Amino acid sequence: MTGTSNSILVTGGAGFIGSNFIFRWIENVGSPIVNLDLLTYAGNPSNLVTIENDKRYQLVRGDICDAELVAHTLQEHRPRAIVHFAAESHVDRSIADPGAFIRTNVQGTFTLLEQAKQYWKSLGDSDKKAFRFLHVSTDEVYGTLGPDDPAFSETTAYAPNSPYAASKAASDHLARAYFHTYGMPVLTTNCSNNYGPFQFPEKLIPLMILNALEGKPLPVYGDGANVRDWLFVDDHCSAIRTVLERGRLGETYNIGGNSERKNLDVVSTICDLVDELQPNPAQGPRRRLIKFVTDRPGHDRRYAIDASKIDRELGWRPSVDFERGLRETVGWYLEHASWVENVRTGAYLVWIRQNYEERTAR
Ligand code: NAD
Ligand code: TYD
């Protein structure tokens, strides 16, 4: 029996939220962080290039479904906590290819929990007590809201509507079961839509920023009146650090930005910001690029988060308002043309063709 080190293990740290989390962890906590990531289309090691030689950071390339590799990584690095981000995360892809979501989000989370349990059980009493497994999840597990429904709280019944949401719901249930059955020190967070630097441009905000910059059509699904709650990614990362440090074991915490917006309003604001920050008067206002296209099947109408529990219990609340965060995000994509160039590889272009070619104008 050996103890834990001072390091933590994150999974999926080369993705959007994971890489922002690693940067903020190095900045704010400064203890070693190991990143287990398969580097799928969504995982980009160049996100972390500025810290790749930092002794506090290490990448292990591998699959969370590989039990042997997970066990070996835990034995080698002996983390004091695991923060589990790795997932297939895009709803439209889950409609096109649900199997990949069941594999990584359900089978992968199960494998990670099972290996974490073996590792945790082998620890001495004080390390065992201090160990944490934080499962990062989404508000989409709660389903959809009508315009006047109260926001999702931690006691809202699960009603996932997309294969992505269903796979995340299944993983949440597994995480919960490992706490209740084995007493493993599990915490779960359910967060609303994130935006910010390093988001893969298949998601609404970066896709619209890049299309607007290039004068391409801006494909708004359905009538554009679907509502999402938006949270700047740094705020999500600070919430996760807070829950990791002070969250009550076995609890779930909803995390949100108090920023409900209709998709059409988000896209229109992006157009105005791009007009302002990269004017192109010859092209005319970017809003003219907006095109209403065939809706997403089973498209959830509204998400809203009641984040009063994490505020009340742990004193966390969002610090970046949506207008400021969106301006910063548009500025980041303008300044990182080579990052954009690198992620828009052949596989990305195939997806864009697959997802948008068949969508006709409404
Ligand atoms: P992302 O798609 O940008 O990144 C996912 C990462 O996981 C990538 O680096 C990928 O290579 C890695 N990965 C995928 N399959 C893997 C496997 N089998 N083994 C190891 N690594 C694998 O996702 P994101 O937007 O950063 O989301 C991170 C987490 O946060 C996910 O669990 C997601 O459900 C959750 N979440 C996301 C949002 C959001 O708005 N993006 C909101 C709430 C919750
Ligand atoms: P997305 O960024 O895919 O996140 P999620 O589906 O997890 O909420 O989409 C956000 C919203 O934007 C969602 O209501 C679907 C819509 N949307 C479009 O209208 N057009 C697009 O091209 C995309 C990718 C999304």
Side-chain angles (χ1 to χ4, degrees):
M1 190 167 63
T2 354
T4 55
S5 70
N6 193 27
S7 66
I8 68 162
L9 175 72
V10 299
T11 66
F16 161 49
I17 302 173
S19 35
N20 281 285
F21 181 82
I22 291 172
F23 284 128
R24 300 290 92 83
W25 182 269
I26 297 274
E27 238 169 62
N28 291 284
V29 183
S31 57
I33 186 159
V34 179
N35 173 18
L36 173 61
D37 196 302
L38 184 58
L39 304 182
T40 67
Y41 80 92
N44 186 355
S46 79
N47 292 0
L48 295 152
V49 71
T50 54
I51 56 158
E52 71 184 359
N53 294 322
D54 191 313
K55 287 198 171 54
R56 294 168 295 182
Y57 171 68
Q58 190 172 332
L59 172 68
V60 177
R61 183 173 189 177
D63 192 337
I64 55 165
C65 299
D66 180 345
E68 218 172 287
L69 173 83
V70 173
H72 177 77
T73 306
L74 291 169
Q75 285 308 325
E76 187 178 343
H77 296 282
R78 309 206 64 80
R80 65 178 173 83
I82 297 174
V83 182
H84 176 35
F85 293 100
E88 290 291 337
S89 68
H90 187 34
V91 173
D92 291 319
R93 284 189 193 252
S94 83
I95 296 167
D97 178 20
F101 287 69
I102 302 306
R103 185 182 178 279
T104 287
N105 301 359
V106 185
Q107 186 71 32
T109 300
F110 163 68
T111 305
L112 190 68
L113 280 163
E114 189 54 23
Q115 294 310 315
K117 183 186 80 184
Q118 308 294 351
Y119 167 71
W120 168 73
K121 279 171 78 175
S122 77
L123 299 173
D125 282 350
S126 67
D127 285 338
K128 208 170 176 179
K129 212 167 155 208
F131 186 78
R132 297 287 181 271
F133 185 106
L134 193 153
H135 174 60
V136 179
S137 192
T138 168
D139 61 354
E140 305 196 22
V141 297
Y142 298 120
T144 187
L145 295 169
D148 301 320
D149 288 339
F152 302 131
S153 78
E154 289 79 358
T155 54
T156 302
Y158 273 34
N161 289 323
S162 71
Y164 164 65
S167 67
K168 291 297 290 187
S171 68
D172 292 8
H173 293 325
L174 285 167
R176 175 190 164 90
Y178 271 66
F179 170 75
H180 282 276
T181 305
Y182 305 112
M184 227 174 101
V186 172
L187 300 149
T188 298
T189 54
N190 294 87
C191 187
S192 58
N193 287 57
N194 283 214
Y195 67 100
F198 298 109
Q199 188 166 31
F200 195 73
E202 63 185 359
K203 304 278 170 68
L204 179 76
I205 287 183
L207 179 95
M208 295 297 171
I209 295 173
L210 298 183
N211 282 15
L213 277 170
E214 292 170 2
K216 292 181 180 160
L218 306 177
V220 172
Y221 298 164
D223 63 359
N226 300 67
V227 171
R228 296 291 181 265
D229 173 59
W230 293 97
L231 180 69
F232 191 61
V233 65
D234 279 358
D235 274 333
H236 188 189
C237 295
S238 76
I240 291 172
R241 291 197 305 275
T242 303
V243 173
L244 191 61
E245 204 180 301
R246 300 200 299 279
R248 284 190 295 132
L249 297 184
E251 292 292 313
T252 64
Y253 292 92
N254 280 0
I255 303 169
N258 296 325
S259 294
E260 280 185 61
R261 298 285 185 284
K262 288 194 174 110
N263 291 341
L264 185 57
D265 294 338
V266 172
V267 176
S268 303
T269 309
I270 290 172
C271 290
D272 298 347
L273 283 166
V274 174
D275 285 346
E276 181 193 326
L277 298 172
Q278 185 130 308
N280 187 348
Q283 263 196 6
R286 262 75 169 204
R287 284 186 185 221
R288 75 184 166 74
L289 299 169
I290 293 173
K291 298 269 178 302
F292 293 95
V293 299
T294 318
D295 209 351
R296 171 187 281 173
H299 196 176
D300 284 340
R301 194 63 174 168
R302 173 177 166 239
Y303 301 146
I305 280 270
D306 172 353
S308 57
K309 178 178 172 183
I310 188 171
D311 186 359
R312 197 174 57 247
E313 286 192 12
L314 308 178
W316 178 90
R317 62 186 70 149
S319 70
V320 179
D321 75 59
F322 185 64
E323 279 61 36
R324 189 183 122 208
L326 195 56
R327 176 175 286 273
E328 208 171 290
T329 304
V330 172
W332 188 88
Y333 281 88
L334 279 171
E335 286 159 17
H336 291 78
S338 62
W339 181 89
V340 169
E341 202 55 42
N342 281 339
V343 299
R344 293 204 291 186
T345 59
Y348 174 76
L349 299 175
V350 169
W351 165 251
I352 293 296
R353 257 200 315 277
Q354 182 186 333
N355 193 38
Y356 295 100
E357 208 160 61
E358 309 259 287
R359 288 181 197 272
T360 48
R362 288 179 81 240

